[in-house]
Amino acid sequence: MRTLNVGLIGGGFMGKAHSLAYAAMPMFFWPAPALPVRSIIAESDEALAAQAAQRFGFERSTGDWREVVEDPDVDVVDIATPNHLHAEIAIAAARAGKHIICEKPLARTTAEAAAMWNAVKDAGTVHMVAFNYRRTPAVALAKKYIEEGAIGRVLNFRGTYLQDWSAHPDAPLSWRFRKDIAGSGAVGDIGSHVVDLARHLVGEIASVNALVSTFVPTRPLQSGGADSLGGERGGAGPRGDVDVDDEVMTLLRFEGGAVGSIEATRNAWGRNNFLTFEIHGTEGSIVFNYERRDELQVCFAADGDDRRGFRTVYTGPNTPYGEGLWPIPALGIGYGETKIIEAYDFFSAVVSGGSVSPSFKDGYQAALVDEAVLTSATTGAWTSVPRVDG
Ligand code: NAI
Ligand code: SOE
């Protein structure tokens, strides 16, 4: 069986998730499109890199990501660093002729995203932005129902992404609160996932009318690089400024005529990974909540007036990606499985020489939506979202 050498850059939360996916993908999807070889991992220094290699099963390690990109043995470059490094690494990797999977948001700005999209177009290699929630089987099932016309013409999309890891004002000032590293706050970090789901399920977003707020203006300075995601509380030590948004709410108009809304915050006590959507169509409705990710709530108008109401469909062997997952519905998938499916689809595209969605073009389009949201939040006006050419 063919093998593909992976060079992974960044050994934090996503480094762990992607390493797990490379190890487990052939165990779930067999025959695998190719066997991922965990070849080399880069971290911000040699010691962290060596530790990450041991932990995540990589053959070699380096404290300089350029070594990964320049390594002729590396087929796939996987970018799992904070957002400020995505563009520089991806452009260098594309110029070196590598296939690239890059974590979301694709970039901090639309200018960076455009440069990344141009670089992969020139390279002709396979590229993917890791909006993995598309790969939750229940989301793939929702997509199937919509494409089959089971809920008719879509009228309304209501999406939320609510978490509480930064609700405490002493959750440290990690890179996610710094514009120079993250680009934006809830908008790019979690709102972008909902934008991706909205585009995936309903279609292109034509215009937005948004507001953003920052509730916690300073946070305790963090020691160390990886984000503890609220797992640590800073004490009485020095604090630094938060220069990104904590919360975003936006209205949407879709090109196809549907309307919608997105709300995202990391300050909602009691909400953990409350990534939800409710979609209303002329013939029915679909509801998804990631915290109950094996389930889809559906109501089909065709069911008849005496059966009106939502019922629960459980994903399993007979729903999308079921052939690779667990043999009985509702045995349950976790976050890891979404990354395993993502790796499967990415490797399949590399081996077939095809393309995979969401691509860097999708990542760029999502960045254009985020930019329009931030512009609208400043002007207070409805703001059009330009379309990526090509
Ligand atoms: P993290 O803070 O847990 O880990 C980032 C790692 O990158 C750290 O270990 C850090 O030392 C390393 N790093 C920093 N500079 C580096 C350099 N120059 N070379 C090599 N490594 C370097 O961050 P996390 O949560 O893993 O986020 C990484 C990316 O993944 C971000 O873009 C984030 O938005 C995205 N993400 C996506 C998720 C999803 O569901 N798709 C979930 C979590 C994060
Ligand atoms: C923090 O809000 C975070 O890790 C995001 O960065 C991810 O994209 C999301 O999937 C989980 O939460």
Side-chain angles (χ1 to χ4, degrees):
M1 182 172 282
R2 185 169 168 190
T3 56
L4 287 170
N5 292 330
V6 178
L8 173 61
I9 304 173
F13 173 16
M14 280 308 97
K16 171 162 120 181
H18 291 211
S19 301
L20 170 83
Y22 296 131
M25 186 267 277
M27 301 178 203
F28 281 78
F29 293 96
W30 190 260
L35 294 176
V37 177
R38 280 163 283 156
S39 183
I40 181 166
I41 187 164
E43 249 294 340
S44 48
D45 66 39
E46 300 282 348
L48 280 173
Q51 201 179 83
Q54 201 174 20
R55 180 175 179 196
F56 300 136
F58 281 76
E59 293 167 350
R60 294 173 293 138
S61 62
T62 173
D64 180 359
W65 62 261
R66 286 170 191 81
E67 258 188 61
V68 173
V69 165
E70 288 160 11
D71 186 334
D73 290 337
V74 166
D75 302 296
V76 166
V77 170
D78 180 337
I79 306 169
T81 63
N83 310 347
H84 65 306
L85 294 168
H86 292 187
E88 192 184 359
I89 298 174
I91 292 165
R95 288 186 181 144
K98 309 298 185 190
H99 305 293
I100 309 169
I101 178 164
C102 179
E103 264 305 339
K104 51 50 60 181
L106 186 62
R108 290 172 298 184
T109 61
T110 54
E112 283 183 344
M116 293 166 82
W117 164 231
N118 285 329
V120 292
K121 265 197 299 185
D122 289 348
T125 51
V126 175
H127 44 93
M128 185 182 207
V129 58
F131 283 122
N132 53 305
Y133 294 112
R134 278 192 189 197
R135 258 89 193 166
T136 314
V139 174
L141 184 61
K143 171 88 171 158
K144 179 173 176 279
Y145 287 156
I146 292 168
E147 283 179 352
E148 287 171 356
I151 62 163
R153 182 166 57 84
V154 173
L155 305 174
N156 186 4
F157 172 96
R158 302 164 69 204
T160 72
Y161 202 152
L162 313 179
Q163 302 179 320
D164 71 0
W165 61 266
S166 74
H168 198 290
D170 288 343
L173 186 84
S174 76
W175 63 262
R176 280 183 171 83
F177 299 103
R178 292 182 46 186
K179 189 174 179 189
D180 60 337
I181 302 183
S184 64
V187 169
D189 188 31
I190 53 175
S192 64
H193 281 295
V194 194
V195 166
D196 181 64
L197 293 179
R199 292 185 56 248
H200 182 52
L201 295 168
V202 181
E204 292 301 345
I205 296 166
S207 58
V208 298
N209 193 332
L211 63 81
V212 298
S213 286
T214 302
F215 301 120
V216 183
T218 66
R219 290 183 179 275
L221 295 179
Q222 177 180 310
S223 56
D227 191 346
S228 71
L229 292 169
E232 287 165 29
R233 297 275 155 78
R239 298 174 77 92
D241 290 340
V242 172
D243 56 1
V244 295
D245 57 285
D246 280 329
E247 169 138 2
V248 55
M249 289 180 177
T250 185
L251 296 175
L252 311 170
R253 287 190 192 283
F254 289 86
E255 286 184 2
V259 296
S261 64
I262 293 176
E263 185 181 349
T265 176
R266 303 169 297 193
N267 287 33
W269 283 118
R271 295 300 185 196
N272 297 297
N273 210 50
F274 197 75
L275 170 57
T276 71
F277 58 77
E278 177 159 329
I279 300 175
H280 304 152
T282 51
E283 305 295 334
S285 298
I286 296 176
V287 180
F288 170 75
N289 173 2
Y290 181 83
E291 291 182 1
R292 301 187 67 87
R293 71 193 74 80
D294 300 304
E295 302 173 12
L296 203 59
Q297 303 291 323
V298 293
C299 172
F300 298 122
D303 285 349
D305 289 346
D306 62 346
R307 285 163 175 72
R308 182 70 47 81
F310 282 96
R311 59 192 162 89
T312 305
V313 177
Y314 290 92
T315 55
N318 298 314
T319 49
Y321 300 110
E323 74 284 3
L325 298 172
W326 305 108
I328 297 173
L331 280 178
I333 64 140
Y335 183 81
E337 280 89 333
T338 69
K339 286 290 179 187
I340 291 166
I341 299 170
E342 180 176 83
Y344 169 68
D345 283 342
F346 178 70
F347 272 67
S348 300
V350 170
V351 168
S352 70
S355 59
V356 65
S357 172
S359 65
F360 276 23
K361 183 178 178 185
D362 291 297
Y364 178 20
Q365 189 64 50
L368 286 166
V369 176
D370 287 350
E371 183 179 68
V373 162
L374 291 168
T375 303
S376 168
T378 307
T379 63
W382 277 95
T383 304
S384 300
V385 181
R387 279 289 284 275
V388 176
D389 295 330

